[in-house]
Amino acid sequence: MTTTIPDTTTMTIDSTENLTVGPELARSWLLVNGSQPARFDVAANSAADAVVLDVEDSVAPADKAQARENVLEWLGARTEDGEQNRAWVRINGFGTAWWEDDLRALRDVPGLDGVMLAMTESPEHVTRTAELLRGTRIVALVETARGVQNLQAIATARSTYRLAFGIGDYRRDTGFGEDPMALAYTRSQFTIASRAANLPGPIDGPAVGALGAKLAEATGVTTEFGMTGKLCLMPEQTATVNEGLSPSLSELSWATDFLGEFEAEGGQIRNGSDLPRLARARKVLGLASAFGMRLPEGYDMHFEAPTDTYHC
């Protein structure tokens, strides 16, 4: 029987100083308007796993050059502690008047973690970007029907690091509503294309203006479709997104119990369910370690195995 977790039960987060979650596991991707440099430090000090300074959609055409300069200045500077400022940059889409200028400006910038390429519609958009930004990680932000049709090819492009779903532009392009069922097929395609190309899980689009229970519900949809990251538009969204895209208390409890039992019985495969359970448990505990999570002291609740790990 599955035990219900009391409302007062919470996960313990290790207070490891300067815990950094790498981009392959990053859950919250916080977009920051490049025209508003006062927000850069606020974003960097938030709970966001990845900060994305935006010189694309949030910036008016007349302000593109200044926004780019703001970003370059901040990325080239250091914090009060002497650490290099670091962030991703969402650049303008291939074929726009600003795409090449963005890339030339970002070459050899010390604090650049990678770029998020807006309006990606073909693998050529990624490969051409990579030619001008050699060695830089590229998240392909797919935002149109044409881009979704080409998802498999985009995912398998040599320089694609991770896929991201630009929900707002995609809905405007297709006329789809915001109901999760309306976008179910599309979200599934992102996850399938990412998995087939051996990429990290895809990054879901933002829940515009959502906080609290509404944001938690939207993040639950992200998880349900196998997506492992989510764009955020406010620093206040990042902690909720991180929690929703991390292993749950029940998952961590089950994984800990299973591995303990498995090793106590000799660490030998006993039946057809052991292999998938072993893989799942190791994944859960690996993620928990990366995110600085552990069970509360004295925790003693037990949960059934995930339903997709039963031998049948």
Side-chain angles (χ1 to χ4, degrees), residues 7-310:
D7 292 340
T8 55
T9 305
T10 57
M11 191 78 71
T12 299
I13 306 296
D14 285 336
S15 57
T16 306
E17 195 170 344
N18 297 325
L19 179 69
T20 300
V21 177
E24 72 283 355
L25 297 178
R27 301 155 294 180
S28 52
W29 292 72
L30 177 59
L31 286 165
V32 188
N33 189 325
S35 294
Q36 300 175 357
R39 297 186 177 185
F40 294 176
D41 285 337
V42 175
N45 292 320
S46 73
D49 288 339
V51 172
V52 186
L53 306 181
D54 185 20
V55 297
E56 192 249 351
D57 209 25
S58 65
V59 180
D63 298 329
K64 297 280 190 185
Q66 184 58 58
R68 190 187 300 121
E69 286 303 314
N70 295 340
V71 168
L72 293 174
E73 181 179 353
W74 190 84
L75 287 175
R78 293 182 175 273
T79 68
E80 293 180 356
D81 296 332
E83 298 292 328
Q84 177 69 55
N85 285 336
R86 305 205 64 85
W88 290 66
V89 177
R90 179 163 75 168
I91 61 174
N92 290 278
F94 177 85
T96 65
W98 309 282
W99 169 77
E100 189 168 345
D101 288 341
D102 290 344
L103 297 182
R104 294 192 186 284
L106 289 168
R107 282 181 177 176
D108 303 320
V109 173
L112 182 67
D113 283 331
V115 297
M116 183 174 286
L117 177 61
M119 289 292 174
T120 306
E121 291 191 324
S122 77
E124 180 190 14
H125 293 183
V126 179
T127 55
R128 290 287 299 279
T129 299
E131 288 172 2
L132 291 178
L133 272 185
R134 294 191 182 279
T136 301
R137 291 174 289 210
I138 301 171
V139 169
L141 181 62
V142 178
E143 309 179 72
T144 63
R146 184 182 178 208
V148 170
Q149 276 197 323
N150 291 327
L151 265 176
Q152 290 187 353
I154 293 169
T156 54
R158 177 177 297 181
S159 299
T160 299
Y161 184 76
R162 201 165 171 181
L163 297 177
F165 182 19
I167 289 179
D169 282 309
Y170 178 75
R171 287 182 54 210
R172 284 187 289 274
D173 186 41
T174 60
F176 282 135
E178 64 179 345
D179 189 285
M181 287 302 297
L183 298 173
Y185 171 80
T186 307
R187 280 192 169 99
S188 299
Q189 292 307 300
F190 275 86
T191 301
I192 292 167
S194 296
R195 186 68 193 97
N198 201 31
L199 298 179
I203 303 161
D204 197 7
V208 180
L211 292 170
K214 186 175 180 180
L215 179 58
E217 181 180 352
T219 305
V221 172
T222 299
T223 302
E224 189 72 13
F225 284 94
M227 307 177 91
T228 59
K230 192 169 185 65
L231 294 175
C232 298
L233 302 180
M234 302 181 290
E236 295 82 3
Q237 292 181 320
T238 57
T240 299
V241 167
N242 287 346
E243 181 178 0
L245 297 183
S246 299
S248 67
L249 190 59
S250 59
E251 288 173 322
L252 185 52
S253 176
W254 167 79
T256 301
D257 285 349
F258 172 78
L259 277 181
E261 173 198 358
F262 182 77
E263 292 169 1
E265 295 189 8
Q268 300 296 316
I269 300 301
R270 301 160 296 186
N271 55 56
S273 295
D274 270 350
L275 277 176
R277 291 180 184 179
L278 188 61
R280 174 70 67 84
R282 285 173 173 167
K283 180 178 180 180
V284 167
L285 294 178
L287 288 172
S289 176
F291 300 151
M293 303 164 58
R294 57 185 173 83
L295 291 173
E297 190 72 27
Y299 184 81
D300 188 25
M301 299 182 88
H302 308 282
F303 296 85
E304 297 293 332
T307 57
D308 61 350
T309 63
Y310 282 89

